[in-house]
Amino acid sequence: MPYWVATMLTGPIWAYIATRYRTIRWPMFCGFAIWTGGVIGFATLQPGQGFNALAFAAVSGIGFGSPLVMIVTGVQLSVPHGLIATATSVATSSRAICNAVFTSIYLAVFTARLETAIPKKIPPPVIAAGLPVSSIPGFIQALTSNDPTSLKTIPGVSPAIIGTGVAVYKQVYADSIRTVFIITSAIAAVATICVWLVSDMRKEMTYQTDAPVEELRAKGVKDAGIEKGN
């Protein structure tokens, strides 16, 4: 919620800045830089840092509001007037496709990292806490399935062992999902640099209506006068 609320509130502000200074480059650069900072913050999160997560979500949302507005603006100002609708739909569709593709990639990376880390990280501390080696498979299965009832029936388990296992599992989970944000921060940094290659669109950002819906005429001027060139 902090992410999208921040995006909704700051989107019009970014739009005003771009209109006021007739440029999309600087607002988009600042937006990507802020968004990158929020993503890097996500990559540093540890278990129990709920407030930090909300804060970094808000920071990321503030930054995301800029490219959300500026990219569409740049696309619409860069194409012939007759292709504005087509170009806009291509841009938004491309973003949706990239979201779907990268969500699958991120999920695969996160799942692979988690499946590799769980059998390596959880057994040593719970064995040191007193859990029999023979109970490790059942303990991990119940722990990762979030099944407290089955967890309490594992032979040799105790509240202290369960607490140790939960703490380790939270850390493993945080370290695994951290990989996603590390990848994202690298992509965001590259995007921030690439913004310098974008035109500022100053020449195109005017108040002239190139394709008006209706013919606009000044008040008090008669049609006949316009036709005669008066």
Side-chain angles (χ1 to χ4, degrees):
M1 182 177 291
Y3 187 98
W4 292 112
V5 169
T7 299
M8 179 183 66
L9 295 178
T10 58
I13 298 176
W14 288 116
Y16 170 78
I17 294 173
T19 304
R20 172 67 177 79
Y21 295 100
R22 292 175 55 199
T23 179
I24 67 170
R25 182 188 294 160
W26 273 106
M28 186 154 58
F29 174 81
C30 294
F32 267 119
I34 294 172
W35 182 62
T36 302
V39 175
I40 293 175
F42 271 123
T44 66
L45 288 176
Q46 297 294 337
Q49 295 181 341
F51 177 80
N52 291 15
L54 294 175
F56 291 135
V59 171
S60 299
I62 292 173
F64 183 70
S66 174
L68 188 66
V69 175
M70 301 305 150
I71 291 175
V72 175
T73 302
V75 168
Q76 293 181 344
L77 292 174
S78 301
V79 299
H81 308 138
L83 298 177
I84 287 180
T86 302
T88 303
S89 63
V90 169
T92 53
S93 299
S94 300
R95 184 172 60 198
I97 292 173
C98 288
N99 285 341
V101 171
F102 274 90
T103 297
S104 300
I105 294 174
Y106 286 156
L107 181 61
V109 170
F110 166 70
T111 302
R113 179 68 180 270
L114 190 63
E115 290 178 350
T116 302
I118 285 176
K120 290 182 179 180
K121 300 293 185 179
I122 294 181
V126 295
I127 291 175
L131 185 68
V133 177
S134 59
S135 299
I136 292 296
F139 181 83
I140 292 178
Q141 177 63 33
L143 181 65
T144 55
S145 300
N146 193 23
D147 188 355
T149 302
S150 299
L151 194 61
K152 295 177 182 178
T153 62
I154 301 296
V157 77
S158 67
I161 293 174
I162 293 176
T164 300
V166 169
V168 175
Y169 180 59
K170 287 182 177 180
Q171 187 64 57
V172 169
Y173 197 94
D175 293 340
S176 298
I177 203 170
R178 194 187 321 281
T179 307
V180 172
F181 294 110
I182 292 174
I183 296 173
T184 305
S185 61
I187 296 174
V190 172
T192 304
I193 296 173
C194 289
V195 169
W196 287 104
L197 304 177
V198 177
S199 172
D200 60 8
M201 299 295 172
R202 180 176 295 275
K203 294 181 180 180
E204 290 79 7
M205 295 183 72
T206 66
Y207 285 99
Q208 178 181 349
T209 304
D210 296 309
V213 177
E214 60 181 346
E215 186 177 353
L216 303 178
R217 298 177 180 177
K219 289 184 178 181
V221 179
K222 297 182 178 179
D223 294 345
I226 294 176
E227 293 175 358
K228 294 180 180 179
N230 296 331

